[in-house]
PDB file of all heavy atoms in Angstrom:
ATOM      1  N   PRO C   6      20.347  -6.009  35.668  1.00 40.00           N
ATOM      2  CA  PRO C   6      21.426  -5.027  35.901  1.00 40.00           C
ATOM      3  C   PRO C   6      22.024  -4.450  34.549  1.00 40.00           C
ATOM      4  O   PRO C   6      22.530  -3.410  34.548  1.00 40.00           O
ATOM      5  CB  PRO C   6      22.472  -5.821  36.610  1.00 40.00           C
ATOM      6  CG  PRO C   6      22.242  -7.250  36.169  1.00 40.00           C
ATOM      7  CD  PRO C   6      20.832  -7.364  35.711  1.00 40.00           C
ATOM      8  N   VAL C 100       8.729   7.229  18.476  1.00 96.00           N
ATOM      9  CA  VAL C 100      10.138   6.956  18.251  1.00 96.00           C
ATOM     10  C   VAL C 100      10.839   8.231  17.776  1.00 96.00           C
ATOM     11  O   VAL C 100      11.946   8.542  18.150  1.00 96.00           O
ATOM     12  CB  VAL C 100      10.340   5.795  17.255  1.00 96.00           C
ATOM     13  CG1 VAL C 100      11.752   5.636  16.827  1.00 96.00           C
ATOM     14  CG2 VAL C 100       9.795   4.506  17.862  1.00 96.00           C
ATOM     15  N   GLY C 116       5.985  18.948  26.924  1.00 86.00           N
ATOM     16  CA  GLY C 116       5.434  17.615  26.793  1.00 86.00           C
ATOM     17  C   GLY C 116       3.920  17.727  26.652  1.00 86.00           C
ATOM     18  O   GLY C 116       3.357  16.805  26.018  1.00 86.00           O
ATOM     19  N   PHE C 125      -5.706  14.078  20.378  1.00 95.00           N
ATOM     20  CA  PHE C 125      -6.455  14.400  19.147  1.00 95.00           C
ATOM     21  C   PHE C 125      -6.219  13.294  18.095  1.00 95.00           C
ATOM     22  O   PHE C 125      -7.148  12.900  17.399  1.00 95.00           O
ATOM     23  CB  PHE C 125      -5.889  15.757  18.596  1.00 95.00           C
ATOM     24  CG  PHE C 125      -6.571  16.916  19.232  1.00 95.00           C
ATOM     25  CD1 PHE C 125      -5.818  17.829  19.943  1.00 95.00           C
ATOM     26  CD2 PHE C 125      -7.936  17.140  19.087  1.00 95.00           C
ATOM     27  CE1 PHE C 125      -6.456  18.927  20.509  1.00 95.00           C
ATOM     28  CE2 PHE C 125      -8.557  18.199  19.651  1.00 95.00           C
ATOM     29  CZ  PHE C 125      -7.766  19.146  20.424  1.00 95.00           C
ATOM     30  N   TRP C 222       0.014   8.710  -5.781  1.00 95.00           N
ATOM     31  CA  TRP C 222       1.147   9.625  -5.349  1.00 95.00           C
ATOM     32  C   TRP C 222       1.165   9.661  -3.863  1.00 95.00           C
ATOM     33  O   TRP C 222       2.170   9.560  -3.197  1.00 95.00           O
ATOM     34  CB  TRP C 222       0.942  10.955  -5.989  1.00 95.00           C
ATOM     35  CG  TRP C 222       1.970  12.006  -5.586  1.00 95.00           C
ATOM     36  CD1 TRP C 222       3.225  12.114  -5.944  1.00 95.00           C
ATOM     37  CD2 TRP C 222       1.719  13.042  -4.625  1.00 95.00           C
ATOM     38  NE1 TRP C 222       3.863  13.141  -5.329  1.00 95.00           N
ATOM     39  CE2 TRP C 222       2.949  13.783  -4.522  1.00 95.00           C
ATOM     40  CE3 TRP C 222       0.662  13.474  -3.863  1.00 95.00           C
ATOM     41  CZ2 TRP C 222       3.108  14.881  -3.652  1.00 95.00           C
ATOM     42  CZ3 TRP C 222       0.781  14.603  -3.015  1.00 95.00           C
ATOM     43  CH2 TRP C 222       2.000  15.277  -2.999  1.00 95.00           C
ATOM     44  N   ALA C 238      15.766   5.903   9.732  1.00 96.00           N
ATOM     45  CA  ALA C 238      16.417   6.675  10.781  1.00 96.00           C
ATOM     46  C   ALA C 238      16.662   5.819  12.031  1.00 96.00           C
ATOM     47  O   ALA C 238      17.696   5.908  12.662  1.00 96.00           O
ATOM     48  CB  ALA C 238      15.479   7.912  11.137  1.00 96.00           C
ATOM     49  N   VAL C 289       7.468   7.159 -16.333  1.00 92.00           N
ATOM     50  CA  VAL C 289       8.268   8.014 -15.414  1.00 92.00           C
ATOM     51  C   VAL C 289       8.385   7.273 -14.030  1.00 92.00           C
ATOM     52  O   VAL C 289       9.448   7.215 -13.390  1.00 92.00           O
ATOM     53  CB  VAL C 289       7.659   9.382 -15.295  1.00 92.00           C
ATOM     54  CG1 VAL C 289       8.157  10.063 -14.039  1.00 92.00           C
ATOM     55  CG2 VAL C 289       8.006  10.228 -16.475  1.00 92.00           C
ATOM     56  N   GLY C 314      30.179  -9.244  10.975  1.00 84.00           N
ATOM     57  CA  GLY C 314      31.084  -9.589  12.026  1.00 84.00           C
ATOM     58  C   GLY C 314      30.492  -9.535  13.439  1.00 84.00           C
ATOM     59  O   GLY C 314      31.137  -9.914  14.354  1.00 84.00           O
TER      60      GLY C 314
END
Side-chain angles (χ1 to χ4, degrees):
Chain C
V100 171
F125 277 116
W222 174 77
V289 160

